[in-house]
Amino acid sequence: MKWIRYLRQGFIEVAGTRYDLTHMRGPTFELAIAATPRYPALTLRIEVEFTSHCVSFGSKEDEILDFDVLGHDRRILDHRDMPRVFCFDRYRWSQSLPELMRTLDGHYCNFTGYGNWLVIRAIDDRGQEVDYEIYFQLRRHGGDTLRMVVESAYVRAYGTPGPGVPHERKGRVRFHVMAAKVFRGEPLRDPGHHRR
C-alpha cells in the first residue's frame, strides 16, 4: 500500500501488531524570527511533512527486497512507488520527530552537499550516544508559510560512512537563519565550503 494511504488510515499493522502513524501526519508550528538592523521581526508558519523514509528502509544497490522473507505486511510504497520495508527501529525513533521539529529554532543545521539539510542530534538511548540524522528540504509555500519535507530520519549505524561530506567539514547554520533566508529568497551558502 502507498504511504499516503497508511497516513490517512493512521496506522500500519505488522504481524498482528498495530503501529500508530498519526504522529507522522506532520505538525505545523510557528517560528518567531527577531528583528535585525536590516530586517524587521517576522513570524513564520512551518508546515511539516514526513515521508515514508522516516519509518522504512529501502534496498541497497543491486539488492532486491524479498517480502516473502521480510513479511508482505511490512511493504510500503514511497512517493515514487518504490517498495520499502517498515523498520521497527526507525519507527521507534520517529515518535520523537514532531517534537524535534518544534524545537529546531535553537539548533544548528548542517549542509550535506546534496541540497538538503542534516540535523545530527546526540541522543543517549540505553546508555549509548547515537547520531539521529534528519534530512529535510525547506521551501517557501506562499504568504508567511514555509513547507518542510522531512525526507529521511534514522540512527546511523556505528562505523557506517557519513552522508557525502565528512562531519568535521560540514558548514552549519542556525535553523531560524536558514528559514529567514528561504522566506526572503536569499541564497544559502555553506560557510564550511571554501573556494580555492
Side-chain angles (χ1 to χ4, degrees), residues 140-160:
R140 191 162 181 175
H141 193 60
D144 62 353
T145 302
L146 297 180
R147 184 86 172 141
M148 174 188 284
V149 177
V150 180
E151 300 170 325
S152 190
Y154 56 89
V155 173
R156 182 164 296 282
Y158 179 76
T160 304

Side-chain angles (χ1 to χ4, degrees), residues 167-181:
H167 292 280
E168 67 276 2
R169 283 186 37 220
K170 288 191 184 85
R172 302 186 321 155
V173 63
R174 286 200 177 272
F175 180 76
H176 71 273
V177 172
M178 174 175 45
K181 284 181 173 285

Side-chain angles (χ1 to χ4, degrees), residues 73-165:
D73 49 0
R74 292 177 68 190
R75 186 174 185 259
I76 296 173
L77 294 177
D78 73 5
H79 58 287
R80 296 169 303 175
D81 287 333
M82 298 296 294
R84 295 181 63 83
V85 181
F86 179 74
C87 176
F88 304 107
D89 192 50
R90 286 191 185 202
Y91 172 77
R92 183 172 58 85
W93 286 104
S94 78
Q95 294 175 35
S96 66
L97 278 172
E99 187 56 33
L100 288 173
M101 296 300 101
R102 289 185 190 95
T103 62
L104 279 178
D105 60 329
H107 295 283
Y108 282 99
C109 300
N110 299 86
F111 288 79
T112 64
Y114 294 105
N116 61 356
W117 304 90
L118 162 69
V119 175
I120 301 176
R121 297 181 165 282
I123 298 176
D124 188 11
D125 182 46
R126 297 183 214 145
Q128 299 177 20
E129 281 195 354
V130 296
D131 286 342
Y132 187 41
E133 300 185 6
I134 304 167
Y135 297 86
F136 64 92
Q137 296 278 351
L138 191 64
R139 294 187 176 87
R140 191 162 181 175
H141 193 60
D144 62 353
T145 302
L146 297 180
R147 184 86 172 141
M148 174 188 284
V149 177
V150 180
E151 300 170 325
S152 190
Y154 56 89
V155 173
R156 182 164 296 282
Y158 179 76
T160 304
V165 181

Side-chain angles (χ1 to χ4, degrees), residues 3 10 13-14 17 28 42 51 61 71-72 89 105 140 142 147 151 153 155 158-159 161-162 164 172 175 185 193:
W3 172 242
E13 193 164 316
V14 177
T17 300
T28 298
L42 72 138
T51 73
E61 194 174 328
H72 290 279
D89 192 50
D105 60 329
R140 191 162 181 175
R147 184 86 172 141
E151 300 170 325
V155 173
Y158 179 76
R172 302 186 321 155
F175 180 76
H193 180 74

Side-chain angles (χ1 to χ4, degrees), residues 60-74:
K60 294 187 169 102
E61 194 174 328
D62 298 327
E63 176 187 59
I64 296 174
L65 298 171
D66 186 351
F67 288 97
D68 287 334
V69 173
L70 296 165
H72 290 279
D73 49 0
R74 292 177 68 190

